[in-house]
Amino acid sequence: MPVALFDTRTPLAPLREELLAALTGVLDDARYILGPNVAAFEEEFASYVGASHAIGVANGTDAITIALRAMGVGPGDEVIVPSFTFYASAEAIPPTGAVPVFCDIDLETFCVTPDTVRAALTPRTKAVIAVHLFGNIAPVAEIEALGVPVLEDAAQAAGSVSSAGRPGALGTAATFSFFPSKNLGAFGDGGAITTSDDAVADRVRMLRFHGSRDKVTYEHIGYNSRLDELQAAILRVQLPHLDAWADGRRAAGRHYAAAGLAELVELPVAVAGCDPAWHLYVIRHDHADELADALAAAGIGQKAYYRTPLHHQAPLVAYDRGLALPATEEAARTHLAIPMSPVLSEQQADEVTDAIRAGLAEIGVAAGASARDGG
Ligand SMILES: Cc1ncc(COP(=O)(O)O)c(C=O)c1O
């Protein structure tokens, strides 16, 4: 049986009536921009993550640019960002006037560490973007202990938890994406910024609405970047289910372990103290591309999301300072996302694992010859 890379349909099926009622409610109310659903969702989401404020914006990319500007980042500043992440994590920096400085990751967790950030620090560093990649949670407090404010890019980490709290409440501010395939997904684009800093929240609210508080006088060159009322209504129906879905993702990770996947490939490792709601389940293997071809032939969803790290992407090459990023290069070469969803069953995990075992045999790689031992 084919297994899709992700499944956004099954978890939403039981919520169909409630979702339709929420959409009808918006239609009946006829308020489509910054209405009662956005206000209520902002309150509910802030309370969920444990921050004082959540501010809805148009998407997770705008969220980063706006949050950085609200944190005071501007021309002449540097922002440290991992090179192994989605393009938007770095793309969102130059519009603030600052420049991205790429840092390395930890190969096992795919997240930045205090050491990889320290290597990229300069007197111009104004902020660090700690990307909670694949649902893991970067060690925010340890990075802030270096003396730089952290913006959490939590686009992939809604539903994850750590001993320090939830993503969204760990740094100076945090950004979320509600792109449909995310752990908490809208029916289109959407995003949010969370913070417990009142001044940052105030600037974010202004920036998302053209730099205005009252819609008639303008204090900044801002953005038209708002979470739509319809999307907020949809997100409000889903938010109460996020923790159960996160548990489903954790269970899927356990199904893979029980199926013996660790004997075949390198599994993702949780950052110490973190219980990830795996957004993507990303394995590593020296023959990742051949394995991907074998899985595709067997009907198993797979994708190498970041084969080219950001410091090699054409529009960002100019920002590369030549800092060695060995774990980034290695992760980029060897990673492969395999099926993950809140409803991935034991049987599906067995099927995927069997297909990986068969694929490795087909390409002539012995079991156990994974990325770790360079086989
Ligand atoms: C790590 C990361 N940062 C930022 C974004 C940007 O979010 P959006 O697509 O909502 O602009 C995404 C997702 O797309 C992401 O995965």
Side-chain angles (χ1 to χ4, degrees), residues 264-309:
L264 305 173
V265 299
E266 296 299 326
L267 302 188
V269 174
V271 171
C274 164
D275 194 4
W278 298 113
H279 169 57
L280 298 172
Y281 200 74
V282 177
I283 59 170
R284 285 183 293 121
H285 195 280
D286 236 19
H287 298 263
D289 284 334
E290 291 150 280
L291 182 56
D293 290 344
L295 291 179
I300 306 295
Q302 33 53 52
K303 186 167 172 174
Y305 277 83
Y306 313 132
R307 199 56 95 222
T308 304

Side-chain angles (χ1 to χ4, degrees), residues 311-344:
H311 67 292
H312 296 320
Q313 295 283 357
L316 298 174
V317 163
Y319 300 111
D320 181 14
R321 301 199 169 172
L323 203 71
L325 305 176
T328 296
E329 307 282 3
E330 177 74 358
R333 188 178 66 79
T334 58
H335 79 286
L336 190 68
I338 60 171
M340 169 54 65
S341 84
V343 291
L344 188 101

Side-chain angles (χ1 to χ4, degrees), residues 58-62 64 85-86 88-89 131-133 153-156 175-179 182 189-191 279 306:
N59 55 67
T61 309
D62 283 4
I64 297 172
T85 175
F86 180 53
S89 302
V131 182
H132 299 320
L133 204 66
D153 179 347
Q156 300 187 5
T175 59
F176 290 84
S177 164
F178 304 126
F179 185 82
K182 292 290 193 274
D189 281 308
H279 169 57
Y306 313 132

